[in-house]
Amino acid sequence: MPLAVYVLGLSVFALGTSEFMLAGLLQPLARDMGVSIPQAGLLVSAFAIGMVIGAPVLAGATLRLPRRTTLIALLALFGLGQVAGALAPTYEVLFASRVVSALACAGFWAVGAAVAVSLAPPGAKARAMATMIGGLSVANVVGVPAGALLGQHAGWRAAFWAVAALSAVGLAGVVALVPRTEPPTGDDRPVLRRELRIYRDGQVWLALVVTALNAAATFCLFSYLSPLLTDTAGLTESWVPTVLALFGVGALIGSVAGGRVGDAHLFGAMYAGMAATTVVLVLLALTARVPAMAVGLALLLGVTAFFTAPAINARMFDVAGAAPTLAGATTTSAFNIGNTLGPWVGGLVINAGWGYTGVAWVSALLAAAAVGATVAAARWHRRTAATRVVAGSSAETADGPARVTGAAG
């Protein structure tokens, strides 16, 4: 895999740390800002909303700009957003800073995914995406637990300052190692109207639904994992960084394994990962009050949830290959639609008095719905492939007599 792809993964490490570190900071942040846990959880949704809007908008707006220049500008804006979050005097200002940071993050994901896929060797799209997603997994192994530790010992604002520093490191890497590219010209130049045609394909929309449901299932539970561990499983807050790190270890294992399996068995990887996620969430709902089970299942949830991610991304590039930038943007938006709905639905469950085990049950239902959507996508794919084979055979049959007749004449 080209070195530039790993540099993109390093940048995603900074982005992912910011996106998910609030899972370990909800309690100190809520206390400092004087808001409830569900209100603090909405900061996760705020970031996701920015990602949903930002990915397609920025992908379209920067379509004809040099990709390297775009990545540099977006990563710099993201770093400034982290500084604004660290200095935020009120909950409302922090909320706004999360949306702005997310807009930059979304654009980077969309353009970076297109760059990673374009640089990948033939037949290695899922592995290229796994490398980028690996940055997200490492963020969950190292960045998110480190953010939780900083939040406990130096205040939650220190975590935002740390991410600002990480984004500066990522920016230096992109400047130094991502190759300069100029937008194509002539007939190959990107045209927004032409790329938008991918949204006429129902398979693109179904791939979006699968991605959103899978993300919602994972982050409905993950966003409230910290209070589940302390209030339901009975662990102390000092355990939270350790369990978040275990989730991240599982995510790293899952994304690496899923990248290799996904290139060879795309739908098989999606089926296996989503079905396993459903089982893990059901077990967690049943055994959340047992500390050892809660800790072990958090690790397994990381494995199963991220095992599907490379295949889901590769699937979107398969059905929207004519528009690689918008394909990356659509995947990013779909993922964050789920990441918006998940914490919101989880907050509704908590406010309804169903507790954190209720969140696990709802997450399991969302994962089961993702399996059902994947079944529909696989059937549609097979039906489309069969139609193309029949059409190709018919064309050959029709051309055959014509060639014979011509020869005879």
Side-chain angles (χ1 to χ4, degrees):
M1 197 63 62
L3 184 60
V5 177
Y6 291 99
V7 170
L8 294 173
L10 171 66
S11 302
V12 167
F13 170 71
L15 305 180
T17 298
S18 177
E19 184 169 5
F20 301 120
M21 69 182 180
L22 288 189
L25 298 174
L26 285 186
Q27 288 142 309
L29 190 151
R31 287 193 295 265
D32 185 47
M33 286 290 183
V35 298
S36 67
I37 291 291
Q39 279 180 293
L42 286 178
L43 291 169
V44 179
S45 293
F47 198 98
I49 289 169
M51 294 280 283
V52 170
I53 297 170
V57 170
L58 287 173
T62 62
L63 197 60
R64 297 191 182 184
L65 297 179
R67 286 175 172 175
R68 178 176 176 272
T69 303
T70 302
L71 292 175
I72 291 170
L74 292 171
L75 200 51
L77 178 60
F78 173 81
L80 292 175
Q82 300 309 295
V83 172
L87 297 173
T90 65
Y91 174 84
E92 290 75 18
V93 173
L94 179 58
F95 192 99
S97 76
R98 295 292 286 170
V99 174
V100 171
S101 295
L103 290 172
C105 180
F108 187 94
W109 260 108
V111 178
V115 171
V117 169
S118 70
L119 294 175
K125 283 189 293 186
R127 275 190 291 146
M129 291 309 305
T131 301
M132 275 194 71
I133 295 166
L136 193 63
S137 303
V138 175
N140 280 295
V141 175
V142 179
V144 173
L149 282 172
L150 278 174
Q152 290 174 5
H153 299 289
W156 61 268
R157 295 178 190 273
F160 279 80
W161 284 115
V163 173
L166 283 174
S167 64
V169 174
L171 179 60
V174 171
V175 170
L177 296 170
V178 172
R180 295 177 182 272
T181 58
E182 293 298 328
T185 57
D187 293 338
D188 293 332
R189 75 186 189 280
V191 178
L192 182 59
R193 182 179 298 177
R194 186 168 60 213
E195 292 222 357
L196 287 171
R197 290 174 187 167
I198 64 170
Y199 297 119
R200 298 177 183 175
D201 187 348
Q203 292 192 75
V204 170
W205 290 100
L206 189 52
L208 187 152
V209 169
V210 170
T211 304
L213 286 173
N214 186 64
T218 302
F219 293 102
C220 180
L221 187 283
F222 180 78
S223 299
Y224 300 100
L225 182 59
S226 175
L228 180 144
L229 293 170
T230 57
D231 295 2
T232 304
L235 296 168
T236 63
E237 281 192 26
S238 61
W239 268 93
V240 172
T242 301
V243 179
L244 291 175
L246 288 174
F247 176 90
V249 169
L252 183 58
I253 294 169
S255 61
V256 171
R260 296 190 176 278
V261 175
D263 275 323
H265 308 285
L266 191 143
F267 280 109
M270 292 168 66
Y271 281 133
M274 293 176 193
T277 296
T278 305
V279 172
V280 168
L281 288 167
V282 168
L283 289 174
L284 186 57
L286 293 171
T287 63
R289 297 186 184 281
V290 181
M293 291 297 294
V295 171
L297 290 169
L299 168 65
L300 288 178
L301 180 62
V303 175
T304 61
F306 279 79
F307 183 85
T308 62
I312 286 174
N313 278 271
R315 170 63 180 161
M316 185 65 79
F317 278 94
D318 282 346
V319 297
T325 302
L326 283 186
T330 302
T331 303
T332 301
S333 290
F335 177 83
N336 285 282
I337 287 171
N339 202 10
T340 302
L341 293 175
W344 176 68
V345 171
L348 292 179
V349 170
I350 295 166
N351 287 331
W354 296 352
Y356 298 111
T357 55
V359 174
W361 280 116
V362 171
S363 297
L365 289 175
L366 290 169
V371 174
T374 302
V375 171
R379 288 180 176 175
W380 194 337
H381 172 77
R382 287 195 297 268
R383 189 164 59 246
T384 302
T387 300
R388 287 174 180 165
V389 169
V390 171
S393 300
S394 299
E396 289 177 8
T397 302
D399 291 343
R403 288 194 295 271
V404 172
T405 303

